[in-house]
């Protein structure tokens, strides 16, 4: 039997809620609905053990992980568990206080001992914090996954240090399992493949999570990361809209205008509605396993097989 | 210098109008806007010479090709030619009366002498007529392209006869350069690639051409051909809507419902607006050149490189 | 305390399911969500007593009304009743066999004795059946509501007979509480009020109920009734699409193209998603009470206050 | 014959371009397409004479009005004038330098002598400038129209002074002829009229004009004004998106979620595409004539008949 992947997580927000709930739901029902890869090198979706969790909010620190994931401002829904067993039993694991500056790297590194992978799933827009956790991972000998748009894997010297330590470093900026960037990119590629000439394109993103509110107030790195993912100067990304009533749902409006044969017009309008944290969790479950496989086989640095899940892999613009 | 491809065309409808106008526009402006492949084995978009055209309507038979393409019920717009040279000069080629039954195969075969490719671009839903023209092509030693959903290339015995005669046979049912099937198929594939679970999908197609009206009255073969292109029993194709005011524009509404991680919902709604005849012409210009290349190199039968341009290639359901 | 309105219903399909469930839900929860008029002349939403129900299907005839409303092909969902009282208790009223031809008018008239209102809520497209029930209502001295597009209230001689008998006659063709016709009409009126010039408009309707399937196979009277409701020759109604997976949901795509100041274009695209039977029930609850009020005050014929709920009132085209 | 209305205009942006071009187009073609009211108290669309125009940009000051309206950053298109007369002849009126602070009120007041109406059509977000022009109008005895969201007509003491002077004061914030606010408001009203229960609603606005860019950088007064127009706390207005490629087009995405009978869901999604300056001009042509009629009949202050054209009339929140 496969050894469970020991995962520590930074951030007990909606994405962690979706990840934790989804793993438990899969364990109980065996359902493969919405699951990208049932097995990665033999590791199943249920073969994950959470070994540590870090948060900053008083509502979460000191609570059992399975309670903390429902504390506000989290607003990802409770998934429907089978009747007789309707509640998520306590995990037995208590959320620890996360670090706020680099003086605490040592403490976190100690807490990471015994973990294999550190999933950094805090809000985007705090590059110093992200970097401090990466340092703690290096110290503790743990693989690091940066799901935010802050530049970690794109930092060449950090990447070299992970390589030299034989530790995987995956990032930056998660491409959601089925999010705006994935869809927009696929449509633009299709336009090109079929020989149409792109004239303009836009995307507007609306959401109701705390992560969204954070991005609205600190849009810069995320915006560049989105443009990295689309790769055309004809594409415009409108400002994010924080609409609290959407809760963990995200709504995107896309438009693509192109010219076809004879210069005639082609117009494409798309509306996409997803649960943003599900899109993140559906990718994190793969990245965790890819990191574990690389770690267990001694491959440090950036594992190329993670590329389709990232918006800004090493080498793209910061 | 490359020898021009000598093309005969059956049907002087909107698709032929778009093809003829687009080739002339390219010749005058050199523009590559909306052109899928500028060169195929060295043959450019302008390297086409029309050698014969067949139609049935009195408004078209006996007229110069460049006049006949604007006769009603055709409603594809006049493309914007550069100012000083605003009108399409006469082609010098007169539209001939097409065949109505198989007794006329001989006459058409004679008229095809000197052509390399016969582009069958009549309305879908007249399989006997399509077959009669294919017989005429065989007799005249000319490659045959069936752009309709009537089963010609899917007819195994016909395909064998073209193979044995060293004549290319391309079909069936053109996948528009950027049409509903291409788009719907790409989105369904993306859903699958990303690991979502499809729950349902529909498409509705609205158009205003004579071809559309014809399909509304005779939907069967086209409907099956669409389903061939999508390949899922969860996809439903609503009845076509003939809306005359749309003229040569086609509007499609697509919906895809899926489940992602944790069983949460993903909804995708798309509206696509294209000029249908442009989508056909943009593909026909490639198929003509693929047919010519195969013919000139002595390869009979179905050329596999045509596959991405067809909804129902040999081997799919009739 | 107000006397309950005694209602007989023809047709135990989705619309009746929505009506019966909604009345019970309101009685238990007191909720006024989605209710157009809490009181009509003092009569509340809960002040309805079902006195008879007629159906044709073996799965419904002989069953308790509260069971029959869930028999296939009905696919309106079970509404969420409060926890402790999760199921609809039996109504104590058994569904009777409906009439199939005019020889049975007498039998139905007898069964209607004691009722005040007959709600004709069978599928559209069976004018002879609708008329036979209207005759039975006349005989029994009961008000008649025709929710279908079959011409009953538009039949001048029938209307005169109801008037002379002092019996209300309401119809034809229910305008859903918030359906395509109501929305399309409101938007076209707004375009006109603001001084824009309409150039074209279309609507496409997709649904998954048995009523929808029936309309797809028998579209004529319904189609005319829709055009009555829109009142412009620039508006086109595409063929209905029966998509079983939608169940009781209805999806409409509307487009309006207009010209504004300086001849510049205005485009409006709308997607509406509703539960069709809820839209019907939300109006039937008003029509039943309007009919009872008119009957109780001795006003026969067509009550003008029903106008906003009907697509084809007396005087419009058949 | 009616006496032409003598109009001075502040701001030679897109809205003025649309107004000036549209009036000329109407004069030449007589077309009433997109015109809300052909006559107001006998005054036609062509019965306007421009007597002064104020701008700040060097590209516009000193130029003939008919040239200045095409100077960048203006990007409203040139309307299609009939062939033989394809260009707009010079107006003979030169654009003057506008005021930048209140020391210049006197100069502007002098320049307004002989005008009847001052149309303030500068960008929103400069309340001091708006107020200075209103003072100049008072001094010169000219009616004032404030098309911006800056509070002028909502300033009770200013309004009193216009009343006492017998001068009309119209404002604030133009409701476009067919813009987002008008449409959103109409749909919310329809939801209410039909008895549905609103759960949430949002609107997103995208545009490419300089006015739009200005609003993105200075969103406050405009945002409040939009909420005034919608009047529900369940409605959220997402941040404006400045997308230069849209030029003078504005695209709006609206969503409305509601509950109907039985608590079932109703979803409405709308995409509106308009030329923003046309929407403004189509209303300004009415406001100018309403102001002139009030002035000529000696009615000072706010004329109630302007209400349907304004988002924030006197009495609404600032």
């Amino acid at each position: 039997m496969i050894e469970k992947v020991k995962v520590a997580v930074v951030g007990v927000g909606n994405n962690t809620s979706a990840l934790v709930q989804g793993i438990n739901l899969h364990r109980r029902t065996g359902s493969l609905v919405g699951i990208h890869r049932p097995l990665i090198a033999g590791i199943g979706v249920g073969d994950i053990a959470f070994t540590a969790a870090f948060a900053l909010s008083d509502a979460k620190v000191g609570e059992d992980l399975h309670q903390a994931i429902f504390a506000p401002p989290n607003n990802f829904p409770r998934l429907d568990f089978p009747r007789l067993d309707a509640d998520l039993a306590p995990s037995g694991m208590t959320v620890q206080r996360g670090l706020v500056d680099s003086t605490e790297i040592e403490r976190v590194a100690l807490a990471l001992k015994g973990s294999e992978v550190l999933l950094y799933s805090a809000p985007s827009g705090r590059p110093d914090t992200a970097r401090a956790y990466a340092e703690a991972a290096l110290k503790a000998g743990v693989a690091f996954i940066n799901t935010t748009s802050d530049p970690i894997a794109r930092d060449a010297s950090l990447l070299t240090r992970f390589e030299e330590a034989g530790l995987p470093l995956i990032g930056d900026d998660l491409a959601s399992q089925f999010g705006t960037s994935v869809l927009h990119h696929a449509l633009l590629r299709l336009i090109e493949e079929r020989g149409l000439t792109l004239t303009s394109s836009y995307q507007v993103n609306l959401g109701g999570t705390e992560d969204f509110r954070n991005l609205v107030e600190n849009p810069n790195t995320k915006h560049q990361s989105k443009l990295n993912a689309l790769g055309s100067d004809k594409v415009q990304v409108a400002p994010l809209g924080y609409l609290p009533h959407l809760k963990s749902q995200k709504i995107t409006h896309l438009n693509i205008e192109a010219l076809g044969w004879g210069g005639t017009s082609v117009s494409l309008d798309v509306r996409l509605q997803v649960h943003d944290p599900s899109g993140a969790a559906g990718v994190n479950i793969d990245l965790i396993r890819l990191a574990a496989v690389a770690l267990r086989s001694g491959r440090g640095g950036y594992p190329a097989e993670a590329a389709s899940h990232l918006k800004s892999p090493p080498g793209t613009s910061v």
Side-chain angles (χ1 to χ4, degrees), chain A residues 125-306:
Chain A
R126 303 173 190 163
D128 291 344
T129 306
R131 173 174 294 267
Y133 278 108
E135 293 288 348
L138 265 172
K139 233 180 193 102
V142 166
F144 190 78
I145 301 169
N146 173 34
T147 69
T148 74
S149 56
D150 299 320
I152 301 298
R154 279 172 294 171
D155 178 325
S157 71
L158 250 182
L159 182 56
T160 304
R161 291 168 59 208
F162 271 84
E163 265 164 20
E164 289 170 357
L167 297 173
L169 173 58
I170 295 181
D172 298 331
D173 205 9
L174 200 104
S176 185
Q177 189 179 1
F178 199 83
T180 318
S181 293
V182 163
L183 177 61
H184 205 163
H185 187 260
L187 290 171
L188 292 172
R189 198 180 50 198
L190 185 66
I191 290 278
E192 195 184 347
E193 272 174 23
R194 302 298 294 187
L196 302 191
T197 301
L198 181 68
T199 47
S200 70
S201 185
Y202 69 77
Q203 68 170 245
V204 191
N205 295 284
L206 309 170
T209 63
E210 200 57 17
D211 197 35
F212 229 85
R213 186 213 289 265
N214 192 283
L215 287 170
V216 167
E217 288 160 12
N218 186 9
N220 296 334
T221 55
K222 187 72 180 180
H223 198 79
Q224 179 60 52
S225 188
K226 270 198 170 293
L227 294 176
N228 287 348
L230 295 170
S232 163
D233 61 345
K234 297 230 170 106
V235 178
Q236 297 184 305
V237 177
L240 296 168
Y242 170 62
L243 304 182
H245 80 266
L246 291 180
K247 296 186 181 155
S248 75
Q249 289 189 103
K250 181 169 159 185
I251 293 173
T252 301
H253 296 282
L254 289 184
N255 167 264
I256 295 175
E257 301 289 332
L259 297 175
W261 175 260
T264 56
S265 63
V266 173
S267 293
L268 192 59
D269 284 287
V270 182
R271 183 184 200 269
L272 172 66
Q273 182 155 357
V274 298
H275 276 274
D276 215 13
S278 291
V283 169
N284 281 334
I285 192 67
D286 285 6
L287 295 182
I288 288 168
R289 293 181 289 168
L290 291 176
V293 170
L295 181 81
R296 289 175 182 185
S297 60
R299 285 187 288 127
Y302 175 71
E305 59 270 32

Side-chain angles (χ1 to χ4, degrees), chain A residues 49 56 61 63 79 84 87 96 117 131 176 189 281 293 310:
Chain A
L56 289 178
V61 175
E63 298 296 321
L79 296 184
L84 289 174
D87 285 328
Q96 305 176 49
V117 177
R131 173 174 294 267
S176 185
R189 198 180 50 198
V293 170
L310 299 165

